[in-house]
Amino acid sequence: ASLEAFQSVQNKDGESNILNNLGSIYFITGDDAKSIEYHLKSLKIGEEINNKLRISTNLLNMGTVYANKPATTNTALSYFLRSLPLFEEINYDAGIGIASMNIGEIYFNKGSYDSALLNFERSITIYEGTADAAFPLSYIGEIYAIKSDFQKALTFHNQAVEVSKRLDAKFELAQSLLSLGKTEYKMGKVKQSIATNQQAL
């Protein structure tokens, strides 16, 4: 009904926004093909009216859909990389934080740790002091553990745990503890790793 209302008054911005929201709903319900279809429709309208928020948001959301499957992570990365400079252009911090985090995660999974680190550090500047900071902090901890710089790794892991506890963010705390447990295992602290994983559980 909202979509038809925006179409009837030729409100292109509203129409693009509704189509984007529908795309996100289809993604949540597991219909990736429909999600992409609606995001593409929204993107087309966003480009017609040169609305950079609509364009960048759709690019980000399409990247999220493609990131859902290992076979399409390169496609996801290309969408995230297209969205980031547009978010920067309009100074949209929420978009910059999410895009940077998602780019970092893909680079991390590819083993491109220096590129991952740059993007995680970027997202931390946006998320500082919020529960969302726990994710990039944890990833940075894991990167330093991979580089065998365990002192630095533990510093970042502890920051992730601390911010999660301070904000009573249970999901983020569980993720931070799991990440810390991985590093402790790499350090050979097997008993400590088990205890940390039990806390996460």
Side-chain angles (χ1 to χ4, degrees):
S2 299
L3 180 59
E4 286 84 359
F6 282 123
Q7 287 168 334
S8 69
V9 295
Q10 296 189 318
N11 183 329
K12 294 286 187 184
D13 183 45
E15 185 181 352
S16 179
N17 189 31
I18 293 292
L19 288 166
N20 174 56
N21 292 341
L22 286 167
S24 296
I25 290 165
Y26 278 116
F27 174 64
I28 291 164
T29 59
D31 193 336
D32 289 359
K34 264 280 198 243
S35 178
I36 293 294
E37 180 190 329
Y38 276 87
H39 285 308
L40 282 170
K41 285 178 182 176
S42 177
L43 176 64
K44 186 168 181 279
I45 295 168
E47 287 172 337
E48 281 171 14
I49 61 174
N50 196 30
N51 185 318
K52 285 178 180 152
L53 178 60
R54 296 282 166 251
I55 296 166
S56 52
T57 302
N58 277 289
L59 292 170
L60 178 73
N61 288 341
M62 284 192 287
T64 302
V65 177
Y66 285 117
N68 208 25
K69 291 185 174 68
T72 52
T73 53
N74 284 336
T75 305
L77 181 59
S78 71
Y79 278 110
F80 293 143
L81 288 169
R82 282 172 64 194
S83 73
L84 183 57
L86 289 171
F87 283 129
E88 290 169 336
E89 209 175 310
I90 60 173
N91 295 310
Y92 189 62
D93 280 351
I96 295 168
I98 296 167
S100 298
M101 178 65 199
N102 291 350
I103 291 165
E105 195 169 1
I106 291 176
Y107 279 134
F108 179 88
N109 291 331
K110 284 174 170 291
S112 302
Y113 299 119
D114 291 338
S115 296
L117 195 58
L118 285 171
N119 283 281
F120 289 138
E121 285 170 345
R122 182 80 192 278
S123 67
I124 285 172
T125 62
I126 303 291
Y127 290 144
E128 191 176 358
T130 71
D132 288 327
F135 294 108
L137 286 167
S138 292
Y139 271 116
I140 292 174
E142 289 189 40
I143 289 169
Y144 281 117
I146 288 162
K147 292 172 180 278
S148 296
D149 189 342
F150 294 116
Q151 190 176 347
K152 249 187 179 175
L154 290 175
T155 298
F156 282 96
H157 285 304
N158 289 333
Q159 284 178 34
V161 170
E162 188 275 327
V163 74
S164 302
K165 281 182 176 174
R166 181 161 47 81
L167 298 171
D168 196 29
K170 298 281 196 299
F171 178 72
E172 287 79 2
L173 178 56
Q175 293 290 327
S176 300
L177 289 167
L178 285 171
S179 189
L180 171 60
K182 281 187 205 173
T183 291
E184 288 169 339
Y185 186 80
K186 278 191 178 76
M187 295 171 73
K189 296 184 174 182
V190 178
K191 284 183 182 175
Q192 184 59 51
S193 176
I194 291 167
T196 300
N197 277 280
Q198 284 173 335
Q199 281 184 65
L201 182 61

